[in-house]
Amino acid sequence: MDNRRMRELEEMCIQEDPPFCQAACPLGMDGRGLCSDLAAGTVDKARAKVEEGLPLPLLLCRICDEPCRTACPKGRSGDAISMALLERYSLENGKAPRKRPSFLSPRTDRIALVGSGLAAMAALESLRAKRYLPQVYIPDGDLAAQLREDKRLPRDLLDETLERLLEGLNVVTESPSLEELSEFGGVVIADESPLRYPGPTDDVTFATEVTGLFSLPLPSGSPSTEARRGLEAVLSLERHLQGASLESGRTKKTDRNTRLKAPEDDTPSKATVPRGETYSSEEATAEAARCLLCQCLICHPWCLYLQEYGGSPRKYIRTYHNNLIINKGNRTANRMIDSCTLCGLCAEVCPTGLDVGQASLESRRKMVETGHMPPSHHDYPLRDMASALEETDFLLDPTGGSPEWLFFPGCQLGASEPRWVSESYRYLTDRLESVALWVSCCGAPARWGGREALYMDVMDLWIERWEGLGRPKVVTACSTCHGLLKERLPEGTAVTLWETMDKLGLPEEGDVSAETVTVSDPCTARDDRTAQEAVRNLLRRRGLALEEHPRSGRTTECCGFGGLVFSANPDLAKRSATRRVQEAGHPMVVSCAMCRELYSRTGHPTWHILELLLSPEGKAPSPKPFPGWSARRENRKRLKADMTSGTVPKEPSESLVMDEKLRQNLDDRWIIEEEILKVIEEAQSGGPRLRRKDSDVYLAYSVLSERTLWVEYSPEGDRWRIHDSYSHRMTIQEVTR
Amino acid sequence: MRPDPVAEAFARSEEWICDECGVELETAEVTLTYLGASFPAKIPRCPRCGMVFIPSSVALGKMLQVEQGLEDK
Ligand code: SF4
Ligand code: SF4
Ligand code: SF4
Ligand SMILES: [Zn+2]
């Protein structure tokens, strides 16, 4: 993932865009932060925010015209947040932030400020904060002139403010001549007097044709705008004095906007009206608590992964990128990058369509490319893929090379239940002219693991073989295969088994049972309306009452198999599956073999649709539990043997005995019985082994490609009792001494 | 960062003997490698044929920890 691409994706996330109030406030006041502080009762922090955000805060909070209110979505159906009152409450009730004493002496630049009113006062306050000592010209004699007419501003507050602002300055209560002004290194004119610069001024910087002379336009009548103008003029003056660019980075600031979308599900409420002139503590808290704390994070409630590591997808993508470019130190985000299911749900719900999975997948590819993909993360699924491609791949082609149809159920359906493949195949051959069966893998694990070159190899071979068969139409039974094949096959070549059955008729007639089931769509079929409909039709036709999962269709979730998360972050995958089944009101029906496995592993009764479609009229079979990885491997072998009428090999499980707890541990450790048997057979035929003293318990190991697998076992009749098995990836190199 | 499984391993190694040679295990220094990094480690092994002993507590504990550390380098 290059820098530009990373920025593009990061930019798509609007989570860090300002809330509506802040975007509308000419001063950019963090109204959301203020509300969240006040709602939490941290008034001191709130006060600090107001003092930091606003010039002349005590004045402004009394007279602000509050453009923030027009923008606040609370105002759509109720009252907007009373921001100015909250500001005032914070200023009057929070502890004054500790002022750092300044040990620097005032600046010596000769500058002048001309005018009166809020803009002039804000400019002066800002100049003083920056240690300038301007010469002040007040043509109408009173710096606060116009403000005195406003009854909301107490006279003594104005006087105190003026005293503070003007203290120690040289004040002249008349207009300067232009000649006089030309002697200053910089001048700000904030005044309605004739002195206001007559020529054109820049809207943003207030620069005039005279270098160093900045002149504000006629007063706007909006106190917040006036205050902002005063600050902007000072910023220009300062840049001018420093010889810096006046414009740089400022255009954006003036039209501070937000791409946030107003939340839909807001309950309207009335503003809290102060009983006195200002808010009491209860009133302020109540008012602040009405704030929606506008931000995006629309994706968060949908996806456990996006909650898992905290912060917005914007932060996620930044973290990915930092992890990729790290030179020294630890790549601590490797597992984070590998924990996204790549299911595309975020892109469905995100207002800008940002697909975090895209960033994750591209990061994985980069990790693989640079040799930084942790080998253990995808070890099991890649081994499983290799086995599906090499050991249990088979083609059954009664037509001898030119079938009209090719049934490609994928690698997982037969692993879950061989019968689902053989009986679906029989169903198809009964109804279609010439159908071949090819059981293999589409390469999805390689793609998900970021091994794009490997994926392309698998897929290219697939296409080659399909062409060798005369380009038959393809019937799929796995939505992942289906999606990947559709990327490569001509339009209309691949159809799902579900559409096909919906068209050709049910494999078994009659009601299967009267129970209500929750339909759960696989994430890789979220765009496949046709398949989703067909699944529902088929189930209804077998007499089932259907309930929709609250997240279904376009916004369905992943079971945890997607993106190989079940392997890279098993715990997160389990929690996501658990959350999903908890939201299902009934036993679930799925149309993906891996959904079946991962949901049933949570203990929730889950049927594969074929389990229901293939069972005869009457009561539905009770949903089977998760068979475990070993049994799934054996199922595949059995399917191949059955269908190609080869000799059925003795299954490892027939030779091994172990208790259920250990069996589950082995599943979690990605150890399958086939491998255990290999280690035992090697040890029994003379390989090295240890023996527990005074017993017939043995401990042996074998190096199986990347792993060293240990097995503790003892004979039990003509079988082996397994006491433990575990593996490590470090190799024992040589004996040093 | 150095794996030192010796303490744990020893605790259980006394329960085992090399089946082939019929002798007790002794501690020996070996080199463990993963992803191009090597560490010396003391591991119980048969003094005759060299058969080593790594219990599950070590394989799934310290060794796993070091492996994962190296994978995130
Ligand atoms: S009350 Fe005024 S200063 Fe405060 S946030 Fe609203 S517009 Fe900005
Ligand atoms: S609801 Fe709160 S955060 Fe949103 S615009 Fe209104 S005051 Fe600002
Ligand atoms: S939905 Fe999520 S990814 Fe999209 S903009 Fe909002 S926070 Fe960002
Ligand atoms: Zn020995």
Side-chain angles (χ1 to χ4, degrees):
Chain A
M1 189 160 56
D2 59 26
N3 271 329
R4 229 196 52 229
R5 177 83 180 126
M6 201 273 309
R7 282 250 164 279
E8 266 169 29
L9 290 170
E10 201 186 304
E11 271 300 313
M12 278 180 80
C13 177
I14 59 178
Q15 202 274 333
E16 287 173 17
D17 279 28
F20 302 98
C21 51
Q22 185 170 23
C25 171
L27 298 153
M29 173 67 204
D30 176 12
R32 178 181 63 195
L34 179 69
C35 287
S36 107
D37 283 344
L38 290 178
T42 47
V43 190
D44 299 347
K45 269 168 80 184
R47 171 168 175 171
K49 277 201 179 73
V50 179
E51 295 204 346
E52 158 101 24
L54 305 185
L56 305 167
L58 282 170
L59 300 189
L60 198 57
C61 71
R62 285 171 161 84
I63 59 171
C64 187
D65 50 320
E66 295 183 294
C68 55
R69 293 182 75 120
T70 348
C72 172
K74 291 294 306 178
R76 281 175 318 183
S77 51
D79 289 330
I81 300 297
S82 315
M83 200 61 80
L85 275 170
L86 291 176
E87 286 163 357
R88 180 158 171 200
Y89 170 80
S90 312
L91 290 169
E92 290 174 354
N93 295 277
K95 216 169 69 216
R98 242 179 71 114
K99 285 242 163 28
R100 251 180 4 119
S102 172
F103 302 105
L104 296 167
S105 44
R107 296 183 196 271
T108 51
D109 309 73
R110 263 180 62 68
I111 57 167
L113 173 79
V114 186
S116 62
L118 200 58
M121 287 168 74
L124 189 50
E125 186 184 56
S126 166
L127 285 171
R128 302 223 59 169
K130 295 175 196 286
R131 294 184 288 112
Y132 290 104
L133 295 175
Q135 162 85 36
V136 182
Y137 294 94
I138 310 174
D140 53 14
D142 182 6
L143 187 60
Q146 302 92 323
L147 296 176
R148 289 201 195 276
E149 287 150 34
D150 196 319
K151 294 280 154 313
R152 294 170 296 177
L153 292 174
R155 179 158 280 273
D156 46 350
L157 174 62
L158 278 178
D159 290 341
E160 271 165 37
T161 310
L162 292 190
E163 198 177 315
R164 174 168 64 84
L165 291 177
L166 294 171
E167 189 199 338
L169 295 185
N170 200 356
V171 180
V172 182
T173 51
E174 57 192 42
S175 297
S177 66
L178 273 176
E179 206 184 2
E180 237 178 308
L181 287 183
S182 68
E183 285 175 13
F184 291 95
V187 178
V188 169
I189 302 179
D191 185 52
E192 309 180 49
S193 72
L195 234 179
R196 195 171 54 84
Y197 185 73
T201 54
D202 187 274
D203 291 347
V204 177
T205 63
F206 304 123
T208 64
E209 288 158 327
V210 182
T211 322
L213 179 68
F214 302 93
S215 177
L216 300 188
L218 274 174
S220 58
S222 150
S224 54
T225 302
E226 287 306 295
R228 160 73 179 271
R229 285 177 176 173
L231 299 186
E232 291 294 334
V234 169
L235 181 60
S236 293
L237 179 83
E238 194 182 25
R239 289 195 180 185
H240 161 69
L241 293 175
Q242 291 166 351
S245 150
L246 293 183
E247 289 86 13
S248 111
R250 292 179 75 179
T251 26
K252 228 177 145 189
K253 237 180 131 194
T254 30
D255 61 350
R256 191 188 293 105
N257 51 21
T258 182
R259 295 170 293 170
L260 290 191
K261 302 274 175 295
E264 309 265 322
D265 53 348
D266 168 40
T267 21
S269 56
K270 291 258 151 263
T272 314
V273 181
R275 251 165 302 153
E277 195 192 339
T278 59
Y279 276 149
S280 67
S281 142
E282 292 75 33
E283 288 166 341
T285 313
E287 181 64 2
R290 291 201 310 126
C291 171
L292 299 166
L293 304 177
C294 299
Q295 58 168 333
C296 192
L297 291 188
I298 287 174
C299 51
H300 264 209
W302 291 90
C303 173
L304 224 46
Y305 168 61
L306 291 178
Q307 296 167 32
E308 183 77 356
Y309 295 90
S312 67
R314 204 185 167 90
K315 205 178 118 201
Y316 272 52
I317 297 173
R318 217 175 300 145
T319 308
Y320 293 179
H321 187 68
N322 291 341
N323 195 69
L324 295 180
I325 58 177
I326 206 158
N327 270 328
K328 278 198 208 108
N330 290 342
R331 293 165 188 269
T332 49
N334 284 347
R335 199 174 302 277
M336 177 190 190
I337 291 172
D338 285 339
S339 295
C340 169
T341 61
L342 315 176
C343 76
L345 177 55
C346 51
E348 288 295 332
V349 299
C350 170
T352 71
L354 171 57
D355 186 352
V356 177
Q358 206 54 46
S360 162
L361 182 58
E362 285 181 33
S363 304
R364 291 180 202 187
R365 288 180 182 155
K366 189 89 192 179
M367 283 156 76
V368 170
E369 218 174 88
T370 55
H372 288 297
M373 177 59 87
S376 67
H377 286 193
H378 303 137
D379 181 65
Y380 181 76
L382 290 172
R383 274 191 280 138
D384 195 49
M385 179 180 88
S387 160
L389 287 168
E390 310 256 330
E391 295 179 306
T392 50
D393 171 290
F394 70 91
L395 174 71
L396 218 67
D397 180 13
T399 72
S402 55
E404 204 173 312
W405 293 89
L406 172 66
F407 180 35
F408 185 78
C411 59
Q412 302 295 359
L413 190 66
S416 291
E417 175 56 65
R419 207 167 55 82
W420 298 344
V421 172
S422 54
E423 289 184 20
S424 302
Y425 181 52
R426 190 163 322 125
Y427 165 91
L428 290 171
T429 51
D430 284 350
R431 286 162 179 81
L432 296 170
E433 266 311 294
S434 61
V435 196
L437 167 68
W438 179 17
V439 175
S440 191
C441 173
C442 65
R447 165 160 281 189
W448 285 340
R451 289 159 212 268
E452 191 62 9
L454 177 60
Y455 167 71
M456 289 310 262
D457 283 348
V458 176
M459 191 40 94
D460 286 347
L461 271 172
W462 196 100
I463 295 291
E464 214 170 275
R465 280 178 87 178
W466 169 76
E467 282 175 340
L469 289 170
R471 304 162 67 93
K473 277 176 273 178
V474 183
V475 179
T476 61
C478 163
S479 53
T480 304
C481 296
H482 190 80
L484 292 175
L485 290 176
K486 263 173 65 178
E487 286 180 10
R488 296 288 296 266
L489 293 174
E491 177 104 28
T493 308
V495 290
T496 62
L497 181 60
W498 328 124
E499 297 165 66
T500 312
M501 284 184 162
D502 198 25
K503 237 177 252 148
L504 300 180
L506 293 170
E508 294 280 341
E509 295 293 336
D511 283 7
V512 67
S513 88
E515 246 186 298
T516 305
V517 292
T518 305
V519 191
S520 170
D521 298 306
C523 64
T524 41
R526 76 168 74 258
D527 294 328
D528 197 341
R529 202 61 218 142
T530 324
Q532 293 166 9
E533 282 302 326
V535 163
R536 285 162 178 74
N537 284 345
L538 290 168
L539 293 170
R540 278 195 211 100
R541 284 167 73 184
R542 296 240 46 204
L544 289 153
L546 307 186
E547 181 216 53
E548 287 294 328
H549 192 279
R551 304 164 202 257
S552 64
R554 293 200 75 85
T555 53
T556 190
E557 295 166 283
C558 177
C559 63
F561 180 60
L564 308 181
V565 179
F566 77 110
S567 158
N569 193 338
D571 173 61
L572 179 65
K574 282 180 185 163
R575 276 184 285 128
S576 306
T578 301
R579 187 178 80 147
R580 184 161 176 83
V581 298
Q582 278 167 353
E583 289 177 350
H586 303 276
M588 292 213 303
V589 184
V590 297
S591 54
C592 162
M594 287 316 295
C595 286
R596 217 300 303 187
E597 307 298 41
L598 297 194
Y599 292 136
S600 60
R601 191 171 64 173
T602 65
H604 188 83
T606 307
W607 282 292
H608 189 276
I609 181 172
L610 285 173
E611 228 167 338
L612 297 174
L613 295 182
L614 295 172
S615 58
E617 186 167 5
K619 192 105 187 70
S622 41
K624 285 191 230 26
F626 173 59
W629 305 119
S630 291
R632 299 188 86 252
R633 191 68 68 85
E634 287 186 14
N635 281 344
R636 259 194 214 139
K637 292 201 164 152
R638 191 144 42 84
L639 174 67
K640 177 175 182 174
D642 281 353
M643 300 291 290
T644 58
S645 32
T647 43
V648 180
K650 194 174 172 210
E651 288 172 358
S653 55
E654 291 171 33
S655 314
L656 305 178
V657 206
M658 67 181 89
D659 64 27
E660 194 41 41
K661 179 97 182 59
L662 180 59
R663 195 183 300 278
Q664 277 171 21
N665 280 342
L666 297 187
D667 257 352
D668 290 341
R669 295 173 192 167
W670 310 107
I671 294 170
I672 59 171
E673 292 171 8
E674 192 181 287
E675 297 168 322
I676 293 182
L677 202 57
K678 223 177 272 174
V679 174
I680 297 178
E681 278 165 359
E682 212 177 287
Q684 288 306 112
S685 54
R689 60 180 188 182
L690 302 177
R691 185 167 57 79
R692 194 184 282 279
K693 285 176 188 164
D694 309 319
S695 80
D696 57 358
V697 177
Y698 300 102
L699 182 64
Y701 75 84
S702 280
V703 180
L704 307 172
S705 67
E706 307 287 295
R707 298 170 310 149
T708 301
L709 183 65
W710 291 80
V711 179
E712 188 181 322
Y713 66 98
S714 53
E716 188 169 302
D718 56 357
R719 304 202 286 175
W720 305 107
R721 157 70 59 180
I722 309 304
H723 303 285
D724 200 3
S725 178
Y726 47 91
S727 71
H728 53 80
R729 307 180 69 86
M730 295 191 124
T731 53
I732 304 154
Q733 209 57 356
E734 87 273 357
V735 178
T736 351
R737 216 181 301 138
Chain B
M1 215 42 196
R2 280 186 179 190
D4 180 21
V6 72
E8 289 161 278
F10 252 145
R12 285 193 59 195
S13 72
E14 284 164 19
E15 301 167 13
W16 299 89
I17 53 168
C18 178
D19 191 49
E20 173 84 10
C21 314
V23 296
E24 304 253 342
L25 306 181
E26 286 171 14
T27 310
E29 192 151 296
V30 299
T31 306
L32 298 177
T33 53
Y34 187 51
L35 298 176
S38 314
F39 313 88
K42 289 197 175 119
I43 277 179
R45 68 188 259 278
C46 168
R48 292 227 189 117
C49 70
M51 172 68 183
V52 290
F53 171 70
I54 293 176
S56 72
S57 57
V58 174
L60 303 178
K62 190 82 189 183
M63 274 173 111
L64 180 63
Q65 204 184 315
V66 176
E67 285 165 11
Q68 291 189 341
L70 289 170
E71 289 193 342
D72 288 341
K73 275 275 172 265

